Structures are given as C-alpha cells and as structure tokens.
Amino acid sequence: MSQAVEFIFDFAAPNGYLAWYPLQEIVARTGANLLVTPVFLGGMHKLTGNSPPMVRDAGVKGKVEYAALEFTRFLDRHGLSQFSMHPALPFNSILVQRLLIASDDEIHRQSLVNTLLPAIWERNIDCTDVAAVGDELTNGGFDARGLLERTQTDTVKQRLAENTSRAVERGAFGIPTFFVGEEMWFGKERLVQLESYLSGGKP
C-alpha cells in the first residue's frame, strides 16, 4: 500500500515553491501519494511565535547572508531558474489559501498549486488582487468566479483556520512541513531524509 506524504502548504512561503518541484519527483520515484493541506502561514506564526527567517535572524551576524547562499544553491541544484523573489514578501496569502480549501478534490487542489505557484513566484502577481488571481485561474482553465465566490463562505474560512490550528497541534511551525503518518520533517533540506524514509529508511 502506497504511503501518503502530507505537505503542509502556504503560497506565501518561498521555500514552499522550492520544495514543491523536487517533491513531485520524490513522489514519482517512491510511488507515494501526495496530499496538500492548505494552512495560513500568518496564523501559524501567530500561534507558534515564529516569524519569517529574514526577520527572525536579522540580528545574527552572517546568518541571513548564508541562508541566501543556500537558497541560491538549492535553486541551481534543482534547475529552478524561473524563480523570482516576490517584492511584496511577506504578503497576505489568505485569498489564495482559501482557493485551495475551496477546491473540489486533491487532484484539483494540486492543479491549482501548479497554476498559481509560477504566477506568484515567477511573475510575482499580487495575491490580494482578486482580478489578477481570477485571471490566472481563468487562464488555467478553472471556474474562477465559482472558486472565488466559495472563498467567502464561512465553511471555507473555518476549514482553513482549523487546518492551521491542527497543523500547529501536530508540531508544525513553518513551511514547508511534511508528514508521513505522525512522522514530521521541516524544511526543503529534509527532502532527502523524506525520500529515504519513503524508501524504507529511518526517519
């Protein structure tokens, strides 16, 4: 029976973009099933007391610069040449996260991720601009009007809040976080460990 890899995900995290594409390759190689759990990173930070690395580590001499170096190395290693750091970072992702919650099923949700990730992290669209997001949905073949209307329902809003709280209760504090059962990994640097585990290794 195939194992399920749960990706705790928010479009607002650049490392979520970086992890997404290598993760597809890992899932293909190991035969695992991928599940995307949308959360609100801003809410996660509030619940855990966490903050973006560039903010959290600003006072540590050399750490932000080294993180930028490793970030560039990861892009080069995985051929992610189209990535462009969003000028509005950190930005409010609640609209696009609610879109993921409003998705009909897992395949549809992952198709949304594949459509919106390049728009956000390559073309740097404004995630708070309903018209801009709607254009991306329409161009991607989605029912933009229907999805956007569903983002305003109490059910979708509540489910996103519940996903966020539940992820924190399980130990998550940032993006990207991965779960296989109750085993957790945090960070794009843990993808090698995740693949090893899926292939029969230790966590």
Side-chain angles (χ1 to χ4, degrees), residues 37-121:
T37 298
V39 299
F40 182 46
L41 182 57
M44 182 179 285
H45 282 172
K46 186 174 182 179
L47 289 170
T48 61
N50 200 3
S51 59
M54 75 284 279
V55 175
R56 185 186 66 237
D57 299 333
V60 182
K61 181 175 174 59
K63 191 169 184 180
V64 172
E65 291 80 6
Y66 181 75
L69 173 61
E70 285 293 354
F71 195 94
T72 300
R73 286 172 173 169
F74 193 95
L75 289 170
D76 290 344
R77 186 178 306 119
H78 295 281
L80 300 173
S81 60
Q82 300 304 307
F83 177 85
S84 176
M85 186 61 76
H86 204 295
L89 187 70
F91 53 80
N92 189 327
S93 63
I94 200 160
L95 172 62
V96 286
Q97 291 306 108
R98 287 176 180 169
L99 282 171
L100 295 181
I101 295 289
S103 300
D104 296 327
D105 56 37
E106 186 61 35
I107 294 174
H108 189 259
R109 184 173 297 114
Q110 292 183 32
S111 294
L112 273 175
V113 174
N114 280 320
T115 294
L116 292 175
L117 264 184
I120 295 167
W121 289 109

Side-chain angles (χ1 to χ4, degrees), residues 95 98-99 102 104 108 112 130-153 156:
L95 172 62
R98 287 176 180 169
L99 282 171
D104 296 327
H108 189 259
L112 273 175
V130 175
V133 172
D135 286 344
E136 295 295 336
L137 294 174
T138 299
N139 293 337
F142 297 97
D143 174 12
R145 181 176 179 179
L147 280 169
L148 288 167
E149 286 179 351
R150 290 179 66 186
T151 64
Q152 300 308 303
T153 64
V156 166

Side-chain angles (χ1 to χ4, degrees), residues 152-171:
Q152 300 308 303
T153 64
D154 290 341
T155 299
V156 166
K157 293 177 181 180
Q158 183 62 28
R159 192 175 302 159
L160 182 59
E162 290 172 352
N163 277 5
T164 303
S165 297
R166 189 159 51 246
V168 169
E169 289 169 3
R170 296 168 67 193

